[in-house]
Amino acid sequence: MVQSYLRHGPTQAFGVVCSPSSNSVYDGKFAYVPALEDVLVWDVKTGLMVAMWHETGHRAEVTCIERSPKGGTFAVGYADGSIRLWEASSKSVVATFNGHKRAVTALAFDDAAARLASGSQDTDLILWDIVGEAGLFRLRGHRDQITNIRFLSRYPSSTPSASTGTSPWLLMTSSKDTLVKLWDLSTQHCVQTIVAHRAEVWSLCLNSEQDLLLTGSNEGELKAWKIEPDALLQGIKESGNGELSKVIHPVSTLPLASPHRVSQIAFHPTLPYLFIQSHDRSVEVFRVRADDEIRKKQARRKKRADAKAAMGKGEKVNDVVDNADVEKVELADLFTPYLVVRATGKIKSFALPDGARPKGATQLFFALSNNAIEVYTIPQYTKSKENPPEAARLYSLDLPGHRTDVRTLSLSSDDSLLASASNGSLKIWNTRTTSCIRTLQCGHSVCSSFLPGDQYVVIGTKSGEMQIFDLSSSALVETISAHTATLWSIHIRPDQQVLVTGSADKDVKFWNIEWRQLGDDSNNKVISLVHARTLKMTDDALSVRYSPNGKLLAVALLDSTVKVFYQDTLKFFLSLYGHKLPVLSMDISHDSKLIVTSSADKNVKIWGLDFGDCHKSIFAHDESVMQVAFEKKSHFFWTVGKDKLLKYWDGDKFENIQKLEGHHGEIWALAVSNFANFVVTGSHDKSIRIWEKLDEPLFLEEEREHNLEQLYESGLADALNREDFPIGSGDPTSEVLAQAETTNVSKQTTETLMAGERISEALELADREIEAYQTYEKVKEGLSEEQMAAIQPPPRNPILVAHNLEPEAWVLRVVEGVQSTALHDALLVLPFGKVMSLMVCLNLWAKREWNMPLVSRILFFLLKTHHHQIVANRTMRTTLIPLRAHLRAALLRQKSTINYNLAALQFIRRQSDARRTAQFYDEVGLDEEKVLAKISEGKKRKRVNI
């Protein structure tokens, strides 16, 4: 009989406040921050998580967040190149766009929130139609990652276009290839390319008037550029000497306090402030001077210069005429340093709220790289020089997570509490609610354990100390200088009487767990560890473990061996030799028969504890195997590694049962439930994840087949998404591609391939049904009624019978079931034979006026994609001619219906306005004479549209 196992599944990650993979958005109350593959919404004032935007099964990291100008919708870009539109109110995905091959790095909405521009590490720029849920076109031109995108919305289009209407037609992008490009969306090409800096361009910003452009580079250089509106309106023209007119002109360079990378620039939406991040831990705030202030400054400067010149000639200063002529405004005059805001950690990104706070102050939001967020308030500008302005920290949110990597995890005896420790902090979590109960300051933690009774936690530090914490009072009870070097491992004997520690000082020490009385009160006792004996080793002790039967002690050494001793006499018993690199962790099974060791050589070895023979050596991970632990009361065990994977193994059959992906960094820590219900992992990405045992059975053969299918489908999708060469790559095979600055947006994924297969199967089913019925009709021709009655009609397909649908209606239902964003890619999968069948169905749908928007969209896409084959195929005429007639008639009928409805709605609105106005005057009690008198007095009442 085939053995079945129980599957493990992930729960939500916790311990993450804000991950450093993406920018953040702040609206004055809520902060929308990345948290690995999720987006968290924090109320920064109360410190509570309001929402978590999580899509089941999606594991790619968030790389970019952009808020829609309309407010409630957010575009979120991911590391796999996908973009999801999230609705904040419903916490659900509205649409998914797949077009990029690599991580999305820049997003921008136009002012109407009808279009979205996205840039990626694959150097492509894609424009998406949000309403139609489709990609409009792909623009190529950059040779490296796109870092910023901005719509220029203040300039009307010079070229009339029915498709763009009044929407913005200009787009500006910056890239790591040192270029800034200006794109004309109406003609879909690049208007101007600027070599902006000598190094990578990391930031780009436009002022509210959109006539000043600021760019920041990797070398700490900030440049200003002037945008000429006249050149935009007149279009590109050639001058007498053959030069083309330029839209963007260089102005000057703005000096900054630090020479580091200018990673972000932003103008405040309402106040005259400019924010520049050019240092890891601070943001410079510049004040934008008003025009009259600039004129006064220039006049004073001129007066001083004239006075100096007069003194040089020997004239009296009083004779100098104050000649404050209008000078050209310099950039240094326009921006003046106001203050520097310093954060407590390294800043990943900052964000500004939409409006100003009371009394003219504004807030500045920081997302820090050390898993924390902060909000600072910037005071209003005053002319007083007595008190220089200083930013004050308003809110800070850092308690729900660690500042550094989670290095060790341990569970209480009843699995209700989880202790996680990092460099500087020890946190106690409720495993059921995943909420942080206690936060305690500690040393650089390396290992930890709950002491008997679960009231105390002991941790071993890098300095060799043991720190004991009382959870009830949240206090450090005792610090013991246990070793002179790093304390690598702690383990408690099964009888709960003795604790053993292993250290890099080559000592293994044994400590008796005792209770000592505090003061005269006999009830007030505190736990204490008393040193009992020491076992000297030949090398650093990296891991120590007691066998569950309490007879043996295993010690893993830096020389890649494991020594096994009798725990009572400390007499040597076995030496386990075979690993090529040091054993980092080990565990002994519940029956004390097996010991499993994990090493930096990427292998896991299973040994028998009776003779010390190696049962099996398994190549377990692609990187070092950091920890291993047996599941309680079984020979199944868990391993975690630097390859970000958690793996579940059968120690008797040496089979890999399950591979669990989810972490985005090296996994350092592992803790297994005492009741074998779940397993907990802690990682470099600062997240803690609980993986629960499900009731769903798992069969190894089925799992392997499923993995192979996934591998095949992803390989097929990759083959269809052939990597095009970038423009100017010099590749001889890409001459045609190198000229294609604009292409269609398409990307095959497993979902689109499956959708294409579903449409193909539905068309096959419909073709068989129609063919069988046509054959039946042919056979009936020329027969008498008696002979017709003898012939049975062909049996209908069970699917059509179950749904009570005609074949064409079934195809329509399948097509309607495909996501709007994936429809075009799904149609590309269809062979031309199936396209001809679909055309027949489209003709019938148009005739019956079924879902005309979808019919039109599919038809136009197929005609554009398969134009050459359709033109060359004469048999298509019989389908296309009636299709044109039916489509035109249906669309004309829909057009007249819409016009009629619009006219009716306008009539209803006029009636409502007139009625509301009349009602307003009736309520006030004015007759016609009084109204005329009021009007003649000039006190005309305003009509209020509610």
Side-chain angles (χ1 to χ4, degrees):
M1 184 180 171
V2 179
Q3 183 175 353
S4 68
Y5 304 89
L6 287 176
R7 189 182 294 277
H8 286 75
T11 60
Q12 68 180 44
F14 61 97
V16 182
V17 178
C18 171
S19 61
S21 59
S22 161
N23 66 310
S24 303
V25 175
Y26 180 58
D27 63 3
K29 184 181 180 184
F30 298 118
Y32 303 85
V33 299
L36 305 175
E37 69 269 25
D38 306 326
V39 175
L40 301 183
V41 185
W42 293 98
D43 185 332
V44 292
K45 189 175 181 181
T46 60
L48 296 174
M49 195 204 309
V50 180
M52 173 188 269
W53 299 349
H54 174 79
E55 187 169 11
T56 309
H58 189 248
R59 287 192 292 268
E61 207 168 5
V62 174
T63 55
C64 192
I65 304 173
E66 183 69 19
R67 189 182 186 192
S68 163
K70 301 294 182 186
T73 308
F74 289 79
V76 181
Y78 293 87
D80 61 354
S82 64
I83 301 165
R84 282 167 174 74
L85 293 181
W86 288 88
E87 194 68 49
S89 55
S90 61
K91 306 169 194 171
S92 61
V93 177
V94 180
T96 304
F97 298 124
N98 277 301
H100 291 291
K101 297 178 181 68
R102 294 176 67 188
V104 178
T105 52
L107 291 168
F109 284 95
D110 67 358
D111 285 352
R115 295 184 300 175
L116 174 71
S118 64
S120 165
Q121 286 180 355
D122 62 9
T123 75
D124 289 351
L125 173 69
I126 299 180
L127 198 70
W128 305 92
D129 180 1
I130 294 171
V131 180
E133 295 186 1
L136 296 175
F137 48 84
R138 185 194 302 267
L139 295 169
R140 292 195 174 109
H142 283 294
R143 290 174 177 79
D144 208 335
Q145 171 187 324
I146 294 172
T147 53
N148 272 280
I149 302 173
R150 290 290 181 275
F151 276 98
L152 270 71
S153 55
R154 287 188 171 269
Y155 305 104
S157 177
S158 58
T159 52
S161 170
S163 60
T164 56
T166 57
S167 54
W169 61 285
L170 286 171
L171 194 66
M172 197 168 283
T173 58
S174 65
S175 167
K176 284 170 69 176
D177 59 7
T178 75
L179 303 178
V180 170
K181 284 180 177 282
L182 183 66
W183 303 87
D184 185 334
L185 300 181
S186 54
T187 57
Q188 299 178 17
H189 78 285
C190 181
V191 179
Q192 187 179 348
T193 300
I194 314 161
V195 182
H197 296 268
R198 288 174 298 177
E200 300 166 347
V201 183
W202 276 98
S203 48
L204 175 144
C205 187
L206 287 164
N207 64 346
S208 55
E209 290 78 24
Q210 296 197 343
D211 58 358
L212 183 67
L213 169 72
L214 297 177
T215 58
S217 79
N218 205 25
E219 294 178 343
E221 190 179 33
L222 183 70
K223 284 187 179 179
W225 309 79
K226 194 75 178 170
I227 299 172
E228 293 290 343
D230 297 336
L232 283 171
L233 297 174
Q234 291 167 8
I236 298 173
K237 292 185 178 178
E238 194 172 335
S239 62
N241 57 2
E243 289 186 359
L244 294 174
S245 59
K246 288 187 170 63
V247 177
I248 304 166
H249 301 277
V251 179
S252 69
T253 304
L254 190 69
L256 295 176
S258 64
H260 301 87
R261 179 207 290 178
V262 182
S263 51
Q264 197 175 348
I265 312 171
F267 282 96
H268 195 279
T270 54
L271 296 173
Y273 292 125
L274 171 67
F275 299 84
I276 299 169
Q277 184 196 342
S278 63
H279 192 268
D280 285 348
R281 289 174 176 266
S282 63
V283 167
E284 293 178 65
V285 184
F286 288 80
R287 191 172 57 81
V288 185
R289 287 194 177 109
D291 286 344
D292 56 344
E293 195 179 346
I294 294 170
R295 299 296 169 215
K296 285 177 184 175
K297 184 177 173 62
Q298 288 176 342
R300 285 198 303 272
R301 188 189 300 147
K302 189 169 179 62
K303 190 173 180 180
R304 282 197 302 270
D306 290 348
K308 279 184 182 178
M311 287 175 70
K313 292 177 182 177
E315 298 174 10
K316 288 185 179 179
V317 179
N318 296 338
D319 296 339
V320 177
V321 181
D322 184 9
N323 184 19
D325 292 335
V326 177
E327 295 179 26
K328 188 181 177 184
V329 177
E330 295 293 333
L331 198 68
D333 294 337
L334 186 60
F335 300 111
T336 176
Y338 182 49
L339 56 86
V340 176
V341 187
R342 289 181 174 82
T344 56
K346 189 177 176 183
I347 301 167
K348 168 58 187 172
S349 69
F350 68 84
L352 300 166
D354 296 334
R357 308 300 294 171
K359 298 181 182 177
T362 186
Q363 289 184 0
L364 180 62
F365 171 86
F366 287 150
L368 304 181
S369 296
N370 64 358
N371 198 26
I373 56 180
E374 293 178 339
V375 178
Y376 288 79
T377 180
I378 293 164
Q380 187 180 11
Y381 170 69
T382 56
K383 292 184 178 180
S384 170
K385 293 184 179 179
E386 293 177 3
N387 298 320
E390 282 189 9
R393 189 166 68 174
L394 194 61
Y395 308 117
S396 177
L397 181 60
D398 57 6
L399 283 180
H402 286 280
R403 303 285 72 72
T404 52
D405 298 7
V406 179
R407 298 302 304 213
T408 171
L409 294 169
S410 55
L411 284 161
S412 62
S413 58
D414 59 356
D415 287 346
S416 62
L417 297 178
L418 170 73
S420 66
S422 66
N423 180 8
S425 65
L426 166 70
K427 289 182 183 287
I428 309 298
W429 308 83
N430 183 327
T431 54
R432 190 175 56 81
T433 62
T434 67
S435 58
C436 183
I437 303 167
R438 297 274 189 277
T439 298
L440 306 157
Q441 298 299 314
C442 68
H444 191 153
S445 311
V446 178
C447 54
S448 65
S449 176
F450 274 90
L451 290 174
D454 294 336
Q455 286 297 309
Y456 296 88
V457 172
V458 60
I459 65 161
T461 66
K462 201 169 185 180
S463 59
E465 293 177 337
M466 270 197 297
Q467 294 180 326
I468 304 172
F469 293 91
D470 183 355
L471 301 186
S472 55
S473 63
S474 299
L476 174 64
V477 176
E478 190 179 3
T479 300
I480 303 167
S481 297
H483 295 271
T484 57
T486 306
L487 201 162
W488 284 117
S489 182
I490 290 176
H491 197 234
I492 297 173
R493 204 166 67 187
D495 62 4
Q496 310 278 297
Q497 299 297 314
V498 176
L499 178 141
V500 63
T501 58
S503 166
D505 63 3
K506 304 180 183 179
D507 284 352
V508 174
K509 292 188 177 180
F510 300 84
W511 309 80
N512 291 333
I513 301 171
E514 296 178 0
W515 293 87
R516 64 184 160 84
Q517 189 173 316
L518 283 178
D520 300 329
D521 187 3
S522 59
N523 295 324
N524 193 4
K525 290 184 178 180
V526 67
I527 206 162
S528 179
L529 299 176
V530 180
H531 181 228
R533 52 182 176 166
T534 303
L535 174 64
K536 294 281 185 183
M537 305 302 296
T538 56
D539 223 322
D540 297 12
L542 299 181
S543 180
V544 288
R545 271 290 176 278
Y546 278 111
S547 63
N549 62 10
K551 291 181 180 178
L552 301 172
L553 170 73
V555 183
L557 300 177
L558 193 65
D559 63 4
S560 310
T561 63
V562 176
K563 300 281 194 290
V564 185
F565 301 89
Y566 291 103
Q567 75 87 19
D568 48 0
T569 61
L570 296 185
K571 185 181 175 184
F572 177 74
F573 174 47
L574 290 169
S575 178
L576 308 178
Y577 176 82
H579 282 291
K580 293 179 177 65
L581 289 171
V583 173
L584 303 176
S585 176
M586 59 184 177
D587 199 17
I588 300 173
S589 63
H590 69 287
D591 54 8
S592 302
K593 289 184 177 177
L594 295 179
I595 179 170
V596 61
T597 57
S598 68
S599 164
D601 62 10
K602 309 173 189 177
N603 287 304
V604 165
K605 291 184 187 287
I606 303 162
W607 316 76
L609 260 185
D610 41 7
F611 303 111
D613 55 323
C614 180
H615 290 184
K616 186 72 174 177
S617 179
I618 304 168
F619 183 75
H621 290 262
D622 294 331
E623 297 288 340
S624 301
V625 188
M626 298 310 296
Q627 282 214 327
V628 62
F630 270 106
E631 197 174 78
K632 298 294 183 279
K633 298 184 180 177
S634 76
H635 282 180
F636 303 153
F637 63 90
W638 293 91
T639 59
V640 293
K642 281 188 179 179
D643 58 358
K644 310 172 190 176
L645 295 177
L646 166 69
K647 292 189 178 182
Y648 190 32
W649 304 86
D650 186 337
D652 292 327
K653 295 189 173 181
F654 320 123
E655 296 271 15
N656 180 209
I657 301 168
Q658 202 176 354
K659 181 174 74 173
L660 294 163
E661 299 174 27
H663 280 291
H664 297 270
E666 299 93 336
I667 305 176
W668 301 122
L670 170 74
V672 179
S673 158
N674 293 301
F675 301 101
N677 296 330
F678 61 85
V679 60
V680 192
T681 53
S683 166
H684 171 70
D685 60 20
K686 301 179 184 65
S687 72
I688 303 168
R689 291 171 191 261
I690 295 179
W691 312 79
E692 288 184 338
K693 186 175 279 188
L694 310 173
D695 294 331
E696 183 186 346
L698 182 149
F699 298 95
L700 292 181
E701 284 300 320
E702 285 183 10
E703 194 71 8
R704 288 200 188 101
E705 283 175 16
H706 178 65
N707 290 340
L708 284 171
E709 278 177 18
Q710 279 187 329
L711 198 66
Y712 170 72
E713 284 171 355
S714 63
L716 186 62
D718 291 341
L720 289 168
N721 297 323
R722 186 173 59 84
E723 191 69 43
D724 292 337
F725 295 96
I727 296 170
S729 63
D731 190 89
T733 61
S734 62
E735 290 175 6
V736 179
L737 293 169
Q739 296 165 5
E741 190 176 32
T742 308
T743 57
N744 291 330
V745 181
S746 66
K747 182 189 175 185
Q748 293 296 345
T749 62
T750 310
E751 290 76 22
T752 58
L753 290 174
M754 290 177 70
E757 285 176 10
R758 286 199 300 273
I759 295 171
S760 186
E761 286 170 5
L763 287 167
E764 275 182 23
L765 188 150
D767 287 346
R768 284 199 301 270
E769 284 291 307
I770 293 166
E771 191 180 344
Y773 191 73
Q774 286 174 348
T775 308
Y776 170 65
E777 289 294 325
K778 279 183 183 176
V779 170
K780 283 203 310 182
E781 287 177 7
L783 298 177
S784 63
E785 290 185 6
E786 293 177 2
Q787 289 172 323
M788 283 184 192
I791 299 171
Q792 292 291 326
R796 292 185 69 201
N797 191 290
I799 295 174
L800 300 180
V801 174
H803 292 279
N804 193 22
L805 291 171
E806 296 177 20
E808 294 87 354
W810 170 247
V811 176
L812 179 63
R813 177 177 284 193
V814 171
V815 172
E816 284 176 335
V818 178
Q819 278 190 349
S820 179
T821 50
L823 181 60
H824 286 178
D825 291 326
L827 293 172
L828 283 173
V829 177
L830 298 179
F832 187 67
K834 293 288 178 284
V835 171
M836 293 171 69
S837 303
L838 188 55
M839 285 287 195
V840 175
C841 292
L842 287 170
N843 181 30
L844 191 79
W845 298 345
K847 186 178 178 181
R848 299 182 182 178
E849 294 188 31
W850 289 348
N851 200 339
M852 288 310 297
L854 183 67
V855 170
S856 306
R857 186 182 167 194
I858 293 171
L859 178 62
F860 299 144
F861 178 75
L862 291 178
L863 289 174
K864 192 165 64 174
T865 308
H866 302 282
H867 177 259
H868 294 301
Q869 293 97 318
I870 290 170
V871 169
N873 198 332
R874 286 179 173 243
T875 55
M876 292 294 290
R877 285 174 62 85
T878 53
T879 309
L880 288 173
I881 291 168
L883 177 57
R884 181 179 64 180
H886 293 147
L887 188 70
R888 189 168 291 176
L891 290 176
L892 281 171
R893 276 194 293 274
Q894 289 208 349
K895 183 184 174 184
S896 62
T897 306
I898 290 168
N899 286 338
Y900 180 84
N901 289 339
L902 280 173
L905 288 169
Q906 286 168 357
F907 174 73
I908 291 166
R909 187 177 68 179
R910 285 196 299 271
Q911 270 195 329
S912 173
D913 287 348
R915 195 181 299 115
R916 198 161 57 242
T917 309
Q919 187 181 358
F920 176 72
Y921 282 120
D922 289 345
E923 284 176 0
V924 176
L926 298 175
D927 57 13
E928 193 174 348
E929 291 177 4
K930 288 180 181 177
V931 171
L932 290 170
K934 287 269 185 193
I935 291 169
S936 62
E937 289 171 15
K939 296 176 181 176
K940 195 184 287 184
R941 287 194 176 272
K942 290 182 180 177
R943 180 181 292 182
V944 181
N945 287 326
I946 299 169

